[in-house]
Structures are given as structure tokens and as C-alpha cells.
Amino acid sequence: MGQLLVEGGEPERNLNRAARMIGEAAQQSCDLVLLPETLDFAWTHPSALTEAQPIPGAFSDRLCQEALRHNIYVCAGLTERLNGRNYNTAILINPQGEIIVKYHKINLLGVELPFYAVGQTLNVVDTPLGKIGVNICADNYLDGLSIGHTLARMGAEFILAPASWTVDYSITEESDPYQEKWVKPFSILAQLYNVAVVSTTSVGYVVGGPYEGKKSVGCSLAVDAGGVRAQGTFNEFAGELIVADLPRPVRSEQGTAIGDMLRRKGYRFDELPQA
């Protein structure tokens, strides 16, 4: 988990830091490095409205070159210009420098809608590391957890989520809000389906856009059926690499057998939410 300082409107500096983090992960013998959401311009920075690049394009090419140079999988968030719209996009790059998954964020916050269009597809890809699904940040909110359920139904053993978790400037480590907001939904997916859910977030103060003055505080997270496997430092200055050794989950159920497994665990399909 490459917990990265992301500066608003500074894609060159951000990509340089990403390149260094990829190299550091390779030096630590990591098979895959997961980087934050919209690491080029930063989340909801206004400059992305006019300067976002296509994928493939200059920014994604830089990450592909680093993946190839260091022989490592790279999953990262970028802003994508496509058909006249911007998307909050995550890509998964293999060690040959090829983009093997491209995903557009679906569960956009209201403040994101002026910046990004809603995604329309989900993908899971087979790799030597396991079956990998990709989503982004708020896709893993409790109210968006159907996205993770669907990735698990599609066979994902690992769900990777570039993120940019932001809080008010007054929030400190002593008032950590992430147990309910992130550990809980990650644990629901992990324990229901025996998947590993991993999310890396940026650090630094938010400059520009609707969240100006707030801060991204790290606290990157890796959870599997056994619980929290690794967690980044909760601090807006905590740019760091967090190395986690995650065993590949064993998932034997497919199709309707997944529903049977969920019923055995007490999951209810036939109840409407309480008013």
C-alpha cells in the first residue's frame, strides 16, 4: 500500500512520487503496489476539468513504464478524459506494463458529480496472484457495498480500491473515524465471501475544489477473513509504504453455490430494509 502525498493540480510531482513508491515496493519484493485515487490532479481538483488525460495517455504510460521497469503489478487511480467526459478511474497494470483492468468509479459522492461521470462496468481479471477486482474509495461505503458483493460474485479473491479518505482539519488520530466507516464494510465482504479487501489512500491537505481545507490522512487498510492484516498511519503527513503479506483466499463456490453459502452464514435475501 503506497500511501502517497498527492498535491492538488500537480500531476508531474505526484507521478514522480508514485514512480519512487513503485520502485520502493519492488525493492521490498512486493508483487503488487496499490496507489491512491486520482493521484494525478488529486480528488475533485478543478484543474482536472481541463487538463485530464486519456487512458492510455501520458500519465498512465508513465505508470506502465514503471511497472515494466520494476517487474511489478501496479494499481492506481487517475483522472481520465474519455468521449468528452471525465471519469474517476482506476487501472491495474501487469509487470509487462499492460493495462489489464480499467474501471470507472460508480458510487460517486454528490460533490464529485460536477467533476466525474458515473461508471457503468465492473471487471475481475485472472492473474498469477489470484483473481483481482478493482473499485474506488466510496464504492466500499456501506451504501455502495453492492459493488463489492458483485465483484465477489464475479469471483474476485482480492478487491483493490485506490482511495482518498478525507476528514475535517480538526480530526486527529485520537478521534479515528475509520472503524465504522471502513473496517466494518471491508470485514463484511471479507467474512461473507472470503476475499481480501485492500485500499490505499493519499495524504496531505486538500487545496482547491469542494473539500478545500480538509485533509487526507492515510490509514490505508488491508482486511481479509482473518481481520485487519495491515493499516497505514493515520496522519496527513504519513507518506509511507505499508507492506502486507496476504495469502490468496480459497474460494470454491461459484454461481448459485455462492448464494447457498451465504444462506448458511445467515445472510437474508428476502427482507426489505426497516422503515
Side-chain angles (χ1 to χ4, degrees):
M1 297 183 287
Q3 197 162 279
L4 199 68
L5 170 62
V6 175
E7 297 178 274
E10 296 290 347
E12 191 63 32
R13 294 214 294 251
N14 295 331
L15 285 162
N16 286 340
R17 274 189 290 271
R20 289 194 292 270
M21 192 70 81
I22 293 167
E24 183 179 348
Q27 290 176 356
Q28 295 286 333
S29 300
C30 296
D31 297 304
L32 182 150
V33 58
L34 174 61
L35 299 173
E37 177 182 14
T38 54
L39 67 80
D40 43 7
F41 296 99
W43 182 72
T44 65
H45 193 273
S47 63
L49 292 172
T50 56
E51 299 177 30
Q53 300 293 306
I55 297 175
F59 298 160
S60 63
D61 287 353
R62 176 75 186 279
L63 297 176
C64 289
Q65 291 162 8
E66 297 299 331
L68 177 62
R69 177 179 293 115
H70 295 288
N71 190 39
I72 190 172
Y73 284 88
V74 175
C75 184
L78 294 172
T79 314
E80 180 184 11
R81 188 67 174 172
L82 177 65
N83 297 329
R85 295 179 174 181
N86 278 5
Y87 290 89
N88 184 337
T89 299
I91 56 174
L92 177 63
I93 306 164
N94 68 16
Q96 291 73 49
E98 303 163 332
I99 296 173
I100 56 174
V101 171
K102 185 175 77 169
Y103 166 75
H104 297 149
K105 186 176 181 179
I106 294 172
N107 196 34
L108 296 171
L109 278 66
V111 296
E112 289 184 87
L113 292 173
F115 295 87
Y116 316 114
V118 175
Q120 298 177 322
T121 61
L122 288 168
N123 290 288
V124 171
V125 64
D126 286 284
T127 78
L129 303 179
K131 298 179 188 295
I132 298 176
V134 178
N135 65 18
I136 298 173
C137 198
D139 290 327
N140 297 295
Y141 279 4
L142 284 169
D143 66 6
L145 210 55
S146 56
I147 295 167
H149 283 278
T150 301
L151 289 171
R153 287 278 192 166
M154 294 167 72
E157 297 162 335
F158 298 93
I159 297 175
L160 305 180
S164 181
W165 299 347
T166 56
V167 298
D168 189 78
Y169 71 93
S170 62
I171 299 294
T172 67
E173 296 91 328
E174 287 71 34
S175 52
D176 178 356
Y178 289 120
Q179 290 296 317
E180 184 74 14
K181 191 170 185 179
W182 296 112
V183 175
K184 183 175 182 177
F186 285 19
S187 299
I188 289 171
L189 292 175
Q191 293 176 30
L192 280 178
Y193 296 99
N194 191 27
V195 300
V197 186
V198 187
S199 188
T200 299
T201 191
S202 51
V203 300
Y205 283 90
V206 179
V207 177
Y211 271 26
E212 172 138 29
K214 294 182 183 290
K215 59 185 181 179
S216 298
V217 290
C219 202
S220 301
L221 191 64
V223 175
D224 66 11
V228 175
R229 288 279 184 169
Q231 189 167 344
T233 304
F234 182 109
N235 190 288
E236 61 268 33
F237 306 111
E240 61 181 352
L241 179 72
I242 304 103
V243 178
D245 187 7
L246 298 175
R248 181 176 180 177
V250 177
R251 298 198 57 209
S252 57
E253 296 88 2
Q254 295 181 336
T256 57
I258 294 176
D260 295 338
M261 177 268 292
L262 293 176
R263 288 186 187 90
R264 290 195 299 272
K265 292 184 175 182
Y267 188 85
R268 297 299 301 269
F269 298 93
D270 57 352
E271 292 182 352
L272 289 171
Q274 297 297 312

